[in-house]
């Protein structure tokens, strides 16, 4: 079974780790839960998912307050029915969109996703059906209709609120059920919920973006009964006792609805639109209305980014890319060409926002070379930028404090720093210049030993290599300030903490000591491994998401959980030997555990983050 997100994750459990220099009797203080998609976590990490979801929702609301202005180009889908534009090679072309002269870089796509015409239509369930034991049976797949407000508990009854329940039984394949409401009259704002036979709430959903409709997905085992409820959204939408009718609190909105339940075997309409992009264009797309998935394909027809979620709250604070909706995608074009944007997963009207920008340094007309500063001598960092609570100014120890954990002394510090700097320069400066498509690529990698500290100056981002979980209050090995396609936040901070990396081998699979033997070139291995994690965090700040850490290709943007791959340990399982692997930025599959799909070109996403001069 695949373990994702750096090992087995357990909600609500905080992991206590012992840092280098501490005994097991001196537990590290409980630290803040970092955002997993920004972090390189140790292999044993357990994530407090309740805290993560609370923080994500708060970030989303903050992000939605900063939507971009300007009149978009509008395009209305021409397809009637299914089939005409349901594949990238049959996309409807939108002329006039782009970042070139005379083009409009903002686009609004509207259209309709057609339903499966073969879906069985079931007559409305009769009242009274306001509790689990009274639910009307509904097969899958099926379409039916109903009314909130027509029973004995609506506004014409006792006023406790009408709730319609449907009994649904999982098929032999145990597929994921998709339940959707459509409110053609617009007077009802729906809430969907699912319960088991004992009245326990399994899932709920209120409102697709831009509509009063709802969409709920839940896995249902073969032969398992679930009870789907349609009600009005708002306080009191869930009855106090789903097993007893008339236990609502009040009447909210009322009106007619259509209900569709599918199990993945239906014909799914998909609408594709093609746009012309220039190399380096940073594309953002957000789907609202009835579409709950947005997808980008490259000119060869490959899926390069698919999303059914909104993680735009992880963008840089000043990123102009669109946010909100049911799903958000971002993409950096590696070369000129005709790309496609698709709207999927739903039935009915949708509204997709598409915007394109040049990379941050070009957009801001800054000819200066961007600087990546590696800070090895300790630093004061305000951890507020990582979205953790509590946060504040934290003093992080220098790299030299952690050398004894690897059996090294102060005399070895320069050699370790040499290894880290050389690895980062190879990964970021040399490889991107040689292999990337950005012909105006330029970046300076400076470090605290050899250069004056430029942090605080324009166009300087830093990666602090030092500090511990106890000092930072962040339970991770590495963490970036944002995932910033286009590098619009040009003055950001990342951390590479060294306590777990230098801990005794028995304490963590992410300790470098677990891969060091008498056969190892210890200093070369330590320098390269830390350098790879440092490049990983630079990749986040440059716009790359996590890639699959368990497939055959080891990539710098691999998610945590497979430290052997990130450290470049070869087949012999020992670091610092002749069979060690040079881990680089690559095209690789996006991490399947984080909800995105497609092939991410982390090499060119990073290369186009560093553009010198203007076009």
């Amino acid at each position: 079974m695949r373990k994702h997100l750096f090992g087995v994750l357990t909600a609500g459990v905080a992991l206590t780790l012992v840092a280098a220099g501490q005994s097991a009797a001196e537990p590290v203080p409980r630290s803040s839960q970092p955002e997993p998609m920004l972090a390189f976590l140790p292999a044993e990490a357990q994530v407090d998912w309740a805290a993560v979801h609370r923080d994500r929702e708060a970030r989303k609301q903050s992000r939605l307050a900063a939507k971009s202005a300007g009149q978009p180009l509008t395009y209305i889908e021409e397809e009637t029915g299914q089939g005409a534009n349901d594949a990238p090679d049959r996309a409807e072309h939108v002329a006039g969109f782009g970042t070139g002269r005379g083009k409009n870089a903002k686009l609004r796509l509207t259209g309709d996703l057609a339903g499966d015409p073969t879906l069985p239509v079931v007559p409305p369930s009769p009242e009274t059906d306001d509790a689990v034991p009274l639910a009307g049976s509904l097969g899958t797949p099926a379409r039916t209709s109903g009314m909130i407000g027509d029973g004995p508990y609506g506004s014409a009854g006792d006023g406790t609120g009408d709730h319609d329940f449907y009994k649904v039984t999982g098929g032999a394949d145990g597929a994921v059920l998709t339940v959707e409401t459509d409110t053609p009259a617009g007077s009802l704002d729906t809430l969907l919920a699912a319960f088991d036979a004992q009245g326990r709430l399994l899932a709920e959903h209120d409102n697709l973006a831009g509509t009063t409709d709802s969409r709920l997905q839940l896995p249902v085992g073969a032969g398992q009964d679930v009870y789907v409820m349609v009600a009005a959204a708002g306080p009191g939408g869930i009855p106090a006792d789903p097993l007893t009718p008339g236990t609502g609190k009040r009447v909210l909105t009322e009106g007619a609805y259509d209900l569709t339940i599918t199990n993945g075997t239906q014909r799914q309409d998909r609408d594709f639109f093609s746009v012309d992009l220039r190399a380096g264009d940073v594309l953002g797309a957000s789907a609202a209305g009835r579409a709950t998935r947005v997808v980008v394909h490259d000119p060869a027809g490959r899926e390069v980014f698919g999303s059914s979620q909104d993680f735009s709250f992880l963008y840089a604070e000043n990123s102009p890319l669109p946010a909100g909706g049911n799903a958000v995608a971002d993409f950096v074009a590696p070369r000129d060409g005709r790309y496609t944007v698709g709207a999927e997963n739903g039935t009915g009207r949708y509204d997709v926002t598409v915007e394109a920008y040049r990379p941050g340094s070009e957009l801001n007309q800054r000819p200066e070379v961007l600087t990546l500063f590696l800070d090895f001598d300790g630093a004061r960092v305000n951890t507020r930028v990582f979205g953790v609570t509590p946060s504040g100014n934290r003093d992080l120890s220098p790299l030299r404090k952690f050398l004894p954990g690897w059996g090294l002394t102060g005399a070895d510090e320069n050699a370790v720093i040499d290894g880290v700097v050389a690895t980062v320069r190879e990964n970021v400066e040399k490889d991107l210049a040689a292999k990337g498509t950005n012909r105006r690529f330029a970046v300076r990698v400076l470090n605290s030993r050899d250069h004056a500290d430029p942090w605080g100056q324009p166009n300087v981002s830093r990666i602090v290599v030092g500090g511990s979980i106890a000092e930072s209050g962040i339970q991770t090995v590495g963490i970036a300030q944002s995932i910033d396609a286009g590098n619009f936040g040009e003055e950001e901070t990342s951390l590479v903490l060294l306590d777990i990396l230098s801990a005794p081998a028995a304490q963590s699979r992410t300790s470098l000591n677990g891969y060091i033997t008498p056969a190892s070139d210890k200093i070369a291995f330590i320098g390269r491994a830390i350098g790879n994690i440092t490049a990983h965090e630079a990749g986040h700040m440059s716009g790359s998401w996590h890639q699959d850490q368990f497939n055959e290709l080891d990539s710098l943007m691999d998610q945590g959980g497979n430290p052997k791959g990130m450290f470049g340990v070869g087949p012999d399982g020992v670091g610092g030997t002749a069979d060690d692997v040079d881990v680089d930025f690559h095209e690789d599959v996006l991490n399947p555990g984080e909800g995105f799909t497609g092939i991410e070109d982390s090499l060119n996403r990073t290369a186009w983050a560093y553009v010198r001069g203007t076009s």
Side-chain angles (χ1 to χ4, degrees):
M1 183 179 76
R2 173 185 294 272
K3 293 182 180 179
H4 60 82
L5 207 58
F6 328 116
V8 178
L9 307 182
T10 305
V13 179
L15 176 68
T16 299
L17 296 166
V18 179
Q22 290 183 309
S23 71
E26 301 175 78
V28 174
R30 181 184 176 92
S31 51
S32 296
Q33 169 63 60
E35 167 53 57
M37 295 178 81
L38 293 174
F40 187 89
L41 299 179
E44 301 79 9
Q46 297 180 1
V47 175
D48 182 348
W49 282 109
V52 169
H53 291 315
R54 285 194 303 270
D55 181 62
R56 286 176 174 177
E57 189 57 35
R59 289 192 183 202
K60 281 184 184 181
Q61 297 308 315
S62 175
R63 177 77 188 169
L64 287 174
K67 287 200 172 183
S68 55
Q71 286 299 315
L73 176 69
T74 59
Y75 184 90
I76 301 173
E77 178 201 17
E78 295 178 352
E79 177 196 37
T80 57
Q82 288 187 351
N85 66 350
D86 63 354
D89 61 354
R90 296 195 293 274
E92 297 180 24
H93 182 61
V94 182
F97 173 80
T99 61
R101 189 181 302 275
K103 302 284 189 178
N104 191 334
K106 296 184 179 182
L107 171 64
R108 181 185 178 193
L109 300 169
T110 57
D112 285 278
L113 293 171
D116 184 349
T118 67
L119 211 62
V121 178
V122 178
S125 179
E127 291 284 353
T128 302
D129 57 355
D130 290 70
V132 166
L134 304 176
S137 293
L138 191 63
T140 59
R143 180 185 295 121
T144 190
S145 59
M147 175 73 70
I148 295 299
D150 62 343
Y153 307 109
S155 57
D158 70 1
T160 56
D162 190 15
H163 302 79
D164 291 352
F165 282 78
Y166 299 87
K167 179 182 177 181
V168 180
T169 302
D173 56 358
V176 172
L177 294 185
T178 299
V179 185
E180 296 179 286
T181 57
D182 186 23
T183 51
S187 56
L188 171 67
D189 182 4
T190 60
L191 166 70
L192 280 171
F195 301 87
D196 64 13
Q198 288 72 46
R200 291 185 289 248
L201 181 66
L202 302 176
E204 63 179 300
H205 185 263
D206 173 14
N207 284 15
L208 292 166
T211 75
T212 57
D213 310 328
S214 301
R215 185 176 193 262
L216 185 68
Q217 287 188 303
L218 70 158
V220 179
Q224 177 188 357
D225 293 334
V226 296
Y227 297 82
V228 173
M229 181 199 76
V230 183
I238 302 290
D241 181 5
L243 301 178
T244 305
T247 58
K249 294 182 179 180
R250 63 181 67 83
V251 169
L252 299 163
T253 56
E254 295 183 328
Y257 64 87
D258 294 323
L259 178 68
T260 303
I261 299 182
T262 56
N263 56 15
T265 62
Q266 293 67 50
R267 292 167 52 189
Q268 294 288 327
D269 188 21
R270 306 185 300 164
D271 291 347
F272 287 91
F273 305 87
S274 64
V275 295
D276 292 329
L277 299 178
R278 295 191 292 157
D281 277 351
V282 186
L283 183 80
S286 172
R290 301 294 299 179
T292 60
R293 175 172 158 83
V294 63
V295 61
V296 181
H297 286 77
D298 69 8
R302 299 184 308 165
E303 182 181 327
V304 288
F305 204 96
S307 172
S308 299
Q309 57 197 12
D310 176 12
F311 276 90
S312 60
F313 56 86
L314 298 182
Y315 295 168
E317 219 171 279
N318 57 342
S319 172
L321 297 181
N326 304 316
V328 172
D330 62 82
F331 172 71
V332 179
R335 54 189 57 86
D336 295 355
R338 185 159 290 183
Y339 296 78
T340 63
V341 177
E344 300 180 346
N345 283 17
T347 303
R349 194 75 172 166
Y350 60 79
D351 191 327
V352 176
T353 297
V354 183
E355 296 177 4
Y357 298 88
R358 296 304 295 168
S361 57
E362 183 177 321
L363 184 70
N364 296 326
Q365 302 289 301
R366 292 179 177 174
E368 301 92 343
V369 176
L370 299 180
T371 296
L372 187 63
F373 179 64
L374 310 183
D375 196 339
F376 298 104
D377 59 5
R380 175 167 291 179
V381 175
N382 190 332
T383 58
R384 180 191 61 81
V385 300
F386 303 113
V388 295
T389 303
S391 62
N393 284 326
R394 300 295 186 99
D395 291 319
L396 304 183
S397 295
L399 176 145
R400 60 180 171 272
K401 174 184 175 181
F402 301 91
L403 295 174
W406 295 304
L408 302 177
T409 70
D412 300 308
E413 180 181 11
N414 282 335
V416 172
I417 290 176
D418 286 343
V420 176
V421 172
T423 301
V424 174
R425 283 184 169 158
E426 184 259 328
N427 287 327
V428 176
E429 282 185 347
K430 297 177 183 178
D431 281 357
L432 301 185
K435 302 175 185 178
T437 60
N438 178 9
R439 300 280 71 91
R440 289 180 291 114
F441 170 83
V443 64
R444 295 188 306 171
V445 177
L446 306 182
N447 70 84
S448 57
R449 182 194 62 187
D450 301 327
H451 306 95
D453 190 337
W455 173 244
Q457 299 176 19
N459 310 316
V460 176
S461 287
R462 64 172 172 172
I463 302 178
V464 178
V465 182
S468 65
I469 289 174
E471 290 173 346
S472 68
I474 307 175
Q475 188 175 279
T476 189
V477 172
I479 190 167
Q481 185 170 334
S482 73
I483 298 173
D484 184 17
N487 197 10
F488 297 100
E490 297 169 341
E491 295 97 27
E492 292 196 324
T493 294
S494 290
L495 305 181
V496 177
L497 305 178
L498 299 179
D499 52 340
I500 291 177
L501 294 175
S502 60
Q507 290 184 5
S508 173
R509 288 194 296 115
T510 309
S511 170
L512 300 182
N513 288 310
Y515 306 94
I516 295 173
T517 73
S520 300
D521 183 337
K522 181 189 295 188
I523 291 177
F525 171 63
I526 292 169
R528 187 182 68 249
I530 296 174
N532 283 348
I533 298 176
T534 304
H536 174 100
E537 302 309 333
H540 279 321
M541 292 193 294
S542 304
S544 289
W545 302 85
H546 282 143
Q547 295 172 328
D548 189 349
Q549 76 274 38
F550 293 118
N551 63 8
E552 293 181 358
L553 178 62
D554 291 328
S555 172
L556 286 173
M557 291 316 301
D558 280 358
Q559 190 187 53
N562 180 22
K564 177 182 175 182
M566 178 60 65
F567 299 159
V569 175
D572 66 0
V574 178
T577 57
D579 70 346
D580 284 3
V581 178
D582 179 16
V583 185
D584 294 318
F585 290 109
H586 289 288
E587 280 193 339
D588 197 5
V589 178
L590 282 158
N591 187 277
E594 293 187 342
F596 296 125
T597 57
I599 299 171
E600 176 185 66
D601 184 350
S602 63
L603 186 147
N604 277 305
R605 284 178 81 107
T606 309
W608 279 100
Y610 301 105
V611 181
R612 181 173 190 171
T614 57
S615 59

